[in-house]
Amino acid sequence: MKEFTIGPNDAGQRLDRFLAKAVPLLPASLAQKYIRIKRIKRNGGRAERDTRLEAGDILQLYINDEFFEKPREDNAYLTVATPKLNIVYEDENILLADKRPGLAVHPHDGAEYGRTLIDHIQAYLYQKHEWSPRGENSFAPALCNRIDRNTGGIVIAAKNAEALRILNQKIKDRELDKRYLAIVEGTPKPAKGALKGYLFKDAKKNRVFVTNTPQPGAKTCQTNYITLASSKGLSLVECELITGRTHQIRAQFAHAGHPLLGDGKYGKLSKNAERTYQALYSYKLTFTFTTDAGILEYLNGRSFRAQKVDFAEEYFPGISY
């Protein structure tokens, strides 16, 4: 429990507005709940959210200590009152979330405080009492892979340190099979094949470039693909990343003359275009362990997929993928 004594400068404010400033980590909806169930009291008695505070009032807040911390990147999950997740699979070790396009996975992707995928996952586990930050010295639920902000698809979160260690190694050793769906302009020829080249990143322009010949600082890149359907100048393709470079699928298809639909960075996005993000989705994940996976061995051979890929059903209704 923590007490606040209202001074002259805070007098006259509504209780809910004072709380928003004094306890910024406490979501407004949770503050209202705590007021209603008397976990927030004024002078030892009941208060209302629109109660006007007076100088000398004493507020008693019976809420968890972590809400009184200063806002930081690592406690942003506290500001998430109602986690919004599309959970594909969950057990005691991992959680697979189907990330919607437009949602950043981490704060460094330019997202606002408390509005990233990891914030929602941590809030979800915290509210389920599966993760207690004050009971951990350093571990916090973490993402094992990332997807660009404007790409949708399956993201893996580890619930414990051992699962995180194993999955990071499995991803490094390419013991996971991730498949993407994309809509590209034109019809790739051949219908099934591999895009190979050399990719280098221009940090100043925040984009990558693909060439057919080696360049200083460039890394090899390969994307295998199969065309599932073609119609009206567009094709739906399934992609397999042989290498996992930044923007690889987008850049390689653009280099091949088949930019992704809606890709304003590597293609041509009309000012009047309805689609504001690229048609790219990490829709299927298969665990293909070839070495011991410890506590995650039970996942070997299991495959998970997104329930729905909107752009595939919009442009190619009835297609099986």
Side-chain angles (χ1 to χ4, degrees):
M1 190 271 286
K2 186 169 185 177
E3 288 189 348
F4 288 96
T5 300
I6 303 303
N9 290 331
D10 292 319
Q13 288 189 71
R14 286 170 44 135
L15 173 58
D16 55 357
R17 292 175 182 170
F18 171 82
L19 291 171
K21 298 175 184 177
V23 196
L25 287 176
L26 184 65
S29 60
L30 191 55
Q32 292 176 28
K33 176 183 177 181
Y34 285 169
I35 292 171
R36 187 176 67 253
I37 64 176
K38 298 182 182 180
R39 288 180 63 175
I40 295 177
K41 298 181 179 181
R42 173 178 176 249
N43 300 325
R46 184 183 183 87
E48 302 295 336
R49 58 191 293 262
D50 58 355
T51 294
R52 294 285 175 177
L53 300 176
E54 299 178 4
D57 281 347
I58 297 177
L59 298 181
Q60 294 97 11
L61 280 63
Y62 296 87
I63 63 178
N64 290 359
D65 290 341
E66 50 260 40
F67 285 106
F68 297 111
E69 298 174 353
K70 291 184 178 180
R72 303 184 307 271
E73 186 176 295
D74 65 347
N75 63 19
Y77 67 91
L78 289 169
T79 66
V80 181
T82 306
K84 296 179 181 179
L85 293 173
N86 185 358
I87 298 175
V88 175
Y89 172 79
E90 181 182 7
D91 63 29
E92 68 275 15
N93 294 310
I94 70 166
L95 182 152
L96 304 182
D98 185 356
K99 184 190 82 69
R100 70 179 186 275
L103 177 66
V105 296
H106 286 125
H108 60 250
D109 290 328
E112 293 182 27
Y113 178 84
R115 296 187 179 181
T116 68
L117 179 64
I118 189 59
D119 294 331
H120 281 258
I121 289 174
Q122 290 181 348
Y124 169 75
L125 296 175
Y126 170 75
Q127 292 175 23
K128 283 181 65 182
H129 304 292
E130 288 193 21
W131 170 54
S132 175
R134 289 184 172 272
E136 300 284 350
N137 291 320
S138 61
F139 178 79
L143 302 182
C144 305
N145 65 316
R146 66 180 304 278
I147 294 178
D148 291 339
R149 182 171 187 153
N150 289 328
T151 298
I154 298 176
V155 179
I156 312 168
K159 290 185 176 185
N160 54 63
E162 180 66 4
L164 181 63
R165 182 193 67 77
I166 292 171
L167 284 171
N168 282 343
Q169 188 63 48
K170 296 301 182 186
I171 290 172
K172 181 179 179 181
D173 294 340
R174 298 193 53 78
E175 294 183 35
L176 276 72
D177 185 320
K178 292 183 289 184
R179 300 297 172 105
Y180 290 75
L181 284 181
I183 292 181
V184 302
E185 297 180 9
T187 304
K189 293 182 180 179
K192 178 180 180 181
L195 301 178
K196 299 180 181 180
Y198 299 87
L199 182 149
F200 62 94
K201 185 174 183 179
D202 188 323
K204 291 183 178 179
K205 294 183 179 180
N206 190 30
R207 62 175 294 162
V208 300
F209 296 87
V210 174
T211 65
N212 295 326
T213 56
Q215 302 289 333
K219 297 181 179 179
T220 59
C221 57
Q222 179 175 338
T223 301
N224 293 347
Y225 71 90
I226 180 170
T227 306
L228 303 179
S230 296
S231 176
K232 300 179 180 178
L234 298 173
S235 296
L236 179 68
V237 297
E238 181 189 69
C239 305
E240 176 190 7
L241 291 176
I242 303 304
T243 55
R245 314 299 184 197
T246 302
H247 298 175
Q248 178 177 313
I249 293 174
R250 298 165 62 189
Q252 283 201 287
F253 272 103
H255 180 71
H258 302 289
L260 270 60
L261 177 68
D263 192 345
K265 183 182 288 285
Y266 297 100
K268 295 180 180 179
L269 185 62
S270 168
K271 293 182 179 179
N272 300 319
E274 295 181 3
R275 180 165 296 281
T276 57
Y277 57 89
Q278 63 271 5
L280 181 63
Y281 217 93
S282 179
Y283 86 106
K284 185 178 179 182
L285 170 70
T286 303
F287 294 94
T288 55
F289 303 147
T290 56
T291 57
D292 179 58
I295 64 170
L296 300 183
E297 188 62 39
Y298 62 92
L299 291 170
N300 198 16
R302 298 192 64 179
S303 184
F304 303 90
R305 63 171 60 208
Q307 198 169 41
K308 182 179 181 182
V309 179
D310 288 340
F311 62 74
E313 299 187 14
E314 176 184 353
Y315 288 88
F316 296 91
I319 189 71
S320 178
Y321 54 86

